[in-house]
């Protein structure tokens, strides 16, 4: 019997749904549980300590739901919490469980997309300040120059469904301009926040026509396919009934309304209180 051992997918809010959508497209047979910590989002402006504490609580909740594998589909959590969880906490909680993030799969391939070997990273304040992207890209592509731009207004605009407004246009234009000011040779931009695919068309509109714009969903999904091929011991643990469950720490009604936008299809979420665990 291999029932109810889903893959956990986590984000501070709705953004991780853009990653889950791509994962389920490629791996539809597995079971999945999504958790959005909407009650405590956004994570972007929060301290390392807080993001780590919230993320660890969420990971422990996934483990209680029998998830053998958890994907942090949130750059901020991947940047500020993943390493400590992998290196310190997993051994204490359960050494057979695995937690993966979205930064490593992206930094492993990003250099292949750039001809000028100059890439731009658009992300939350937290991700930028962590320096995770420049550090990781240096490991895989030492010849690539990395330029970062924090876009603190984008997540609030998207979460309040104002991303098609004129106000949003102003901030999309501004952050792209600020990034390209750092170097005119940037030819590849990574959307290093799982919310940003929702404004990908606008970002494209305000970028030079030949700019390559990458979002992470597909990259992370392909990397997970490879990971499961290489780690049969993990692959065999995951249950395969093709089921998807959605949880939020805030209002289920709000979650379901937004989820359609991020996930493409309607969902019916359940509420969970992580602090009462
Ligand atoms: N989706 C998160 C990320 O990829 C950002 C949202 C937040 O600030 O909580 O970084």
């Amino acid at each position: 019997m291999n029932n109810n051992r889903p893959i956990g997918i986590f984000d501070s809010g709705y953004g991780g749904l853009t990653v889950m959508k791509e994962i389920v497209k490629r791996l539809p047979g597995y079971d999945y549980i999504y958790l959005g910590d909407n009650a405590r989002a956004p994570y972007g402006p929060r301290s390392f300590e807080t993001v780590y504490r919230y993320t660890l609580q969420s990971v422990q909740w996934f483990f209680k739901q029998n998830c053998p594998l958890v994907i942090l589909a949130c750059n901020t959590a991947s940047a500020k919490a993943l390493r400590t969880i992998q290196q310190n906490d997993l051994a204490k909680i359960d050494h057979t469980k695995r937690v993966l993030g979205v930064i490593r799969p992206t930094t492993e391939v990003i250099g292949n997309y750039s001809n000028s070997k100059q890439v731009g990273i658009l992300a939350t304040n937290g991700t930028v300040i962590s320096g995770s992207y420049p550090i990781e890209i240096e490991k895989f592509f030492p010849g690539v120059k990395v330029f970062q731009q924090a876009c603190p207004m984008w997540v609030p605009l998207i979460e309040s469904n104002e991303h098609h407004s004129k106000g949003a246009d102003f901030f999309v234009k501004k952050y792209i301009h600020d990034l390209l000011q750092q170097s005119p040779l940037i030819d590849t931009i990574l959307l290093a926040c799982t919310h940003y695919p929702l404004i990908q068309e606008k970002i494209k509109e305000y970028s030079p026509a030949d700019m390559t714009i990458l979002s992470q969903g597909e990259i992370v999904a392909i990397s997970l396919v490879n990971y499961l091929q290489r780690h049969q011991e993990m692959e065999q643990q995951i249950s395969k009934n093709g089921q998807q469950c959605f949880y939020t720490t805030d209002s289920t009604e709000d979650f379901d309304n937004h989820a359609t936008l991020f996930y493409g299809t309607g969902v019916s979420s359940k509420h969970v209180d992580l602090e009462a665990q």
Side-chain angles (χ1 to χ4, degrees):
M1 286 291 283
N2 193 15
N3 255 342
N4 196 28
R5 296 182 64 81
I7 296 176
I9 301 188
F10 173 71
D11 183 53
S12 58
Y14 310 107
L17 290 167
T18 63
V19 175
M20 177 162 166
K21 185 165 104 185
E22 296 300 328
I23 291 177
V24 173
K25 210 187 275 175
R26 277 168 188 77
L27 298 166
Y30 296 119
D31 295 332
Y32 297 91
I33 293 192
Y34 183 89
L35 172 64
D37 191 8
N38 299 84
R40 304 188 293 194
Y43 279 15
R46 296 193 189 279
S47 69
F48 270 81
E49 172 49 41
T50 303
V51 172
Y52 164 65
R53 188 158 48 84
Y54 288 175
T55 307
L56 180 60
Q57 250 175 17
S58 305
V59 164
Q60 283 173 316
W61 177 83
F62 278 113
F63 290 165
K64 281 191 191 150
Q65 314 309 305
N66 274 333
C67 296
L69 173 66
V70 177
I71 318 270
L72 303 183
C74 174
N75 285 274
T76 313
S78 299
K80 292 185 164 182
L82 179 62
R83 187 177 296 255
T84 314
I85 292 174
Q86 284 175 332
Q87 294 182 351
N88 297 346
D89 299 302
L90 278 186
K92 287 181 222 150
I93 304 169
D94 182 344
H95 71 278
T96 67
K97 307 269 191 196
R98 287 291 171 269
V99 182
L100 304 174
V102 288
I103 295 179
R104 167 99 192 235
T106 323
T107 53
E108 271 176 0
V109 297
I110 190 167
N112 299 332
Y113 290 89
S114 172
N115 291 321
S116 66
K117 299 301 167 203
Q118 300 213 2
V119 303
I121 306 293
L122 298 174
T124 65
N125 249 327
T127 301
V128 167
I129 289 167
S130 77
S132 297
Y133 274 95
I135 293 167
E136 290 297 313
I137 293 172
E138 166 74 18
K139 286 184 197 155
F140 299 109
F141 298 100
V144 168
K145 274 193 169 173
V146 183
F147 300 89
Q148 301 193 91
Q149 177 62 45
C151 312
M153 290 301 290
W154 286 2
V155 169
L157 281 166
I158 293 167
E159 295 238 332
S160 45
N161 212 355
E162 289 290 344
H163 52 291
H164 296 302
S165 65
K166 284 260 174 290
D169 279 36
F170 173 84
F171 283 107
V172 171
K173 224 161 130 179
K174 176 179 169 25
Y175 296 143
I176 291 170
H177 173 262
D178 292 351
L179 173 69
L180 297 179
Q181 279 282 92
Q182 297 180 47
S183 167
L185 294 181
I186 295 170
D187 68 350
T188 304
I189 291 179
L190 173 68
L191 308 186
C193 169
T194 53
H195 280 65
Y196 299 172
L198 262 81
I199 51 168
Q200 188 154 353
E201 282 311 307
K202 253 194 211 302
I203 294 171
K204 216 167 151 184
E205 202 181 309
Y206 290 113
S207 301
D210 52 354
M211 184 69 72
T212 300
I213 297 169
L214 300 172
S215 63
Q216 296 176 301
E218 202 179 338
I219 296 171
V220 171
I222 292 169
S223 164
L224 180 62
V225 171
N226 290 338
Y227 176 87
L228 292 175
Q229 276 165 1
R230 283 183 286 115
H231 294 273
Q232 281 302 307
E233 76 294 347
M234 175 55 71
E235 198 282 333
Q236 280 158 22
Q237 286 186 60
I238 302 162
S239 55
K240 302 170 184 73
N241 305 299
Q243 283 170 5
Q244 295 140 39
C245 291
F246 299 85
Y247 286 83
T248 175
T249 55
D250 206 348
S251 144
T252 53
E253 201 185 330
D254 273 357
F255 187 89
D256 297 353
N257 288 337
H258 278 84
T260 316
L261 200 65
F262 286 78
Y263 198 55
T265 57
V267 313
S268 175
S269 61
K270 294 178 199 144
H271 180 261
V272 60
D273 183 353
L274 293 179
E275 279 158 13
Q277 275 195 98

